[in-house]
C-alpha cells in the first residue's frame, strides 16, 4: 500500500517550499488552488499538464478527478511521490459548492475526506508516497490540528488518526523545519526511530529517503537484481 504523509502548517511556513528537493522526474504535484510554487525555477520543473501538453502538475479541486489521477499515476513505476497541495481547500470548496443544509452537509464532507484517504491506502505501491499538505487550526484547548471547515467535522473524524506520519511546520531563527513528534499540543507523529531528531529540515526528499530506509523499501528489488546477475 502507498504511504500517506500529512504536513500541517500556517501559510508561509514552508509546506509547499519543501517540494523543491524532490526529483521532478519522479514527482507529480496536484494543486487544489492554482498558484505558482514558491521556489526558484518551479515553472520549468513542474509544468502544467493540459490536453495538449504533458506535464507533472495539475490543478483540480474535486475528489473523483484527483482519485483518477492518483490511480493512473500509481501505474507509472517512475512516479515515486505525489503531492496534494492543499487538502484543506478540498473540504472548503466542497462546502461552498454543495447545496445540502445542516447536519447532513457536514456528515457528507467528513465521509468524502475519509473515503479519499481510504483510496490512497488501497494503492498497491509500497514505494509510492503521497504527501498531503494542509492548513493548521488552533482549538479552544490550545491544541493544533489540521484545519477543517468546522467543529462538526472535527467531532466526526480525527483526520490525523488515519495516518502514521504527520508533521507540523516550525519556523524559528535557524530556519524552516518539520516537527516529527507530538509535544502535547499538536498532532505530529512518526514511527519510533524513523528520525534521529524531533525537528527535521522541510525537505521532502529527505523525508522520502528516511521512509524508504525505515521500511526497507527498494531493498527487495535491489536484491532481486543482484540475483539475476
Amino acid at each position: 500500500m502507498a504511504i500517506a504523509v500529512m504536513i500541517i502548517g500556517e501559510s508561509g511556513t514552508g509546506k509547499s517550499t519543501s517540494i523543491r528537493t524532490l526529483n521532478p522526474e519522479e514527482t507529480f504535484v496536484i494543486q487544489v488552488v492554482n498558484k505558482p510554487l514558491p521556489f526558484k525555477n518551479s515553472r520549468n520543473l513542474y509544468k502544467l499538464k493540459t490536453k495538449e501538453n504533458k506535464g507533472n502538475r495539475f490543478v483540480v479541486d474535486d475528489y473523483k478527478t484527483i482519485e483518477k489521477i492518483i490511480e493512473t499515476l500509481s501505474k507509472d513505476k517512475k512516479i515515486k511521490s505525489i503531492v496534494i497541495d492543499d487538502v484543506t481547500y478540498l473540504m472548503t470548496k466542497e462546502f461552498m459548492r454543495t447545496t445540502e443544509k445542516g447536519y447532513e452537509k457536514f456528515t457528507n464532507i467528513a465521509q468524502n475526506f475519509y473515503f479519499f484517504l481510504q483510496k490512497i491506502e488501497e494503492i498497491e505501491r509500497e514505494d509510492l508516497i503521497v504527501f498531503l499538505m494542509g492548513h493548521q487550526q488552533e482549538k479552544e484547548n490550545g491544541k493544533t490540528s489540521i484545519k477543517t471547515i468546522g467543529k462538526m467535522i472535527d467531532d466526526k473524524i480525527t483526520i490525523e488518526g488515519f495516518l502514521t506520519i504527520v508533521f507540523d511546520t516550525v519556523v524559528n531563527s535557524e530556519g524552516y523545519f518539520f516537527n516529527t513528534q507530538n509535544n502535547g499540543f499538536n498532532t505530529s507523529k512518526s514511527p519510533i526511530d524513523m528520525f534521529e531528531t524531533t525537528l527535521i529540515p522541510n525537505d521532502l526528499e529527505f523525508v522520502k529517503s528516511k521512509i524508504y530506509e525505515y521500511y526497507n523499501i527498494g531493498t527487495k528489488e535491489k536484491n532481486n537484481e543482484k540475483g539475476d546477475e
Side-chain angles (χ1 to χ4, degrees), residues 18-95:
S18 64
I19 300 170
R20 74 197 183 284
T21 58
L22 289 170
N23 181 352
E25 295 181 359
E26 299 178 348
T27 305
F28 197 96
V29 176
I30 299 172
Q31 290 181 294
V32 181
V33 177
N34 189 7
K35 59 181 180 179
L37 292 170
F39 49 89
K40 191 174 181 179
N41 205 32
S42 62
R43 288 185 183 274
N44 292 322
L45 295 174
Y46 292 95
K47 295 182 178 180
L48 190 64
K49 182 178 176 62
T50 64
K51 291 181 179 179
E52 295 77 23
N53 302 311
K54 291 184 177 180
N56 55 355
R57 181 171 67 90
F58 196 78
V59 180
V60 60
D61 61 8
D62 69 274
Y63 291 110
K64 289 189 179 298
T65 305
I66 293 176
E67 288 169 5
K68 288 180 181 178
I69 293 172
I70 292 176
E71 183 180 358
T72 299
L73 292 172
S74 70
K75 298 174 184 177
D76 184 351
K77 299 295 185 180
K78 182 180 68 175
I79 298 297
K80 305 296 183 183
S81 303
I82 298 174
V83 181
I84 304 176
D85 187 16
D86 141 340
V87 295
T88 298
Y89 286 122
L90 278 174
M91 289 181 276
T92 302
K93 291 196 172 190
E94 183 182 4
F95 176 81

Side-chain angles (χ1 to χ4, degrees), residues 25-222:
E25 295 181 359
E26 299 178 348
T27 305
F28 197 96
V29 176
I30 299 172
Q31 290 181 294
V32 181
V33 177
N34 189 7
K35 59 181 180 179
L37 292 170
F39 49 89
K40 191 174 181 179
N41 205 32
S42 62
R43 288 185 183 274
N44 292 322
L45 295 174
Y46 292 95
K47 295 182 178 180
L48 190 64
K49 182 178 176 62
T50 64
K51 291 181 179 179
E52 295 77 23
N53 302 311
K54 291 184 177 180
N56 55 355
R57 181 171 67 90
F58 196 78
V59 180
V60 60
D61 61 8
D62 69 274
Y63 291 110
K64 289 189 179 298
T65 305
I66 293 176
E67 288 169 5
K68 288 180 181 178
I69 293 172
I70 292 176
E71 183 180 358
T72 299
L73 292 172
S74 70
K75 298 174 184 177
D76 184 351
K77 299 295 185 180
K78 182 180 68 175
I79 298 297
K80 305 296 183 183
S81 303
I82 298 174
V83 181
I84 304 176
D85 187 16
D86 141 340
V87 295
T88 298
Y89 286 122
L90 278 174
M91 289 181 276
T92 302
K93 291 196 172 190
E94 183 182 4
F95 176 81
M96 297 300 292
R97 282 194 298 257
T98 185
T99 58
E100 294 173 332
K101 303 289 184 179
Y103 192 80
E104 186 178 0
K105 182 174 186 175
F106 292 93
T107 299
N108 289 338
I109 291 173
Q111 286 179 338
N112 288 339
F113 197 87
Y114 166 76
F115 289 128
F116 174 62
L117 293 178
Q118 288 290 99
K119 286 287 186 181
I120 294 173
E121 287 185 356
E122 292 170 4
I123 298 171
E124 295 183 358
R125 279 274 309 277
E126 67 170 9
D127 64 332
L128 180 64
I129 300 179
V130 181
F131 293 102
L132 307 168
M133 309 293 190
H135 275 74
Q136 186 183 73
Q137 68 180 356
E138 184 174 334
K139 299 181 179 180
E140 295 177 358
N141 59 9
K143 295 183 178 182
T144 59
S145 65
I146 185 171
K147 186 175 183 179
T148 64
I149 51 132
K151 192 172 183 297
M152 289 182 72
I153 295 289
D154 296 335
D155 290 342
K156 288 188 172 300
I157 57 172
T158 301
I159 292 174
E160 296 92 328
F162 296 108
L163 304 161
T164 301
I165 304 173
V166 179
F167 303 145
D168 66 292
T169 57
V170 174
V171 182
N172 58 33
S173 59
E174 296 182 3
Y176 294 79
F177 302 90
F178 292 148
N179 183 23
T180 65
Q181 296 297 328
N182 193 296
N183 60 13
F185 290 93
N186 59 21
T187 52
S188 296
K189 57 183 176 179
S190 59
I192 187 169
D193 296 329
M194 177 175 280
F195 301 99
E196 290 80 11
T197 57
T198 299
L199 290 185
I200 61 173
N202 68 329
D203 178 337
L204 293 190
E205 184 61 33
F206 172 76
V207 172
K208 181 167 76 72
S209 68
K210 284 295 184 181
I211 292 173
Y212 273 30
E213 178 185 329
Y214 191 85
Y215 290 116
N216 295 318
I217 296 173
T219 303
K220 293 179 182 179
E221 287 80 358
K222 290 180 181 179

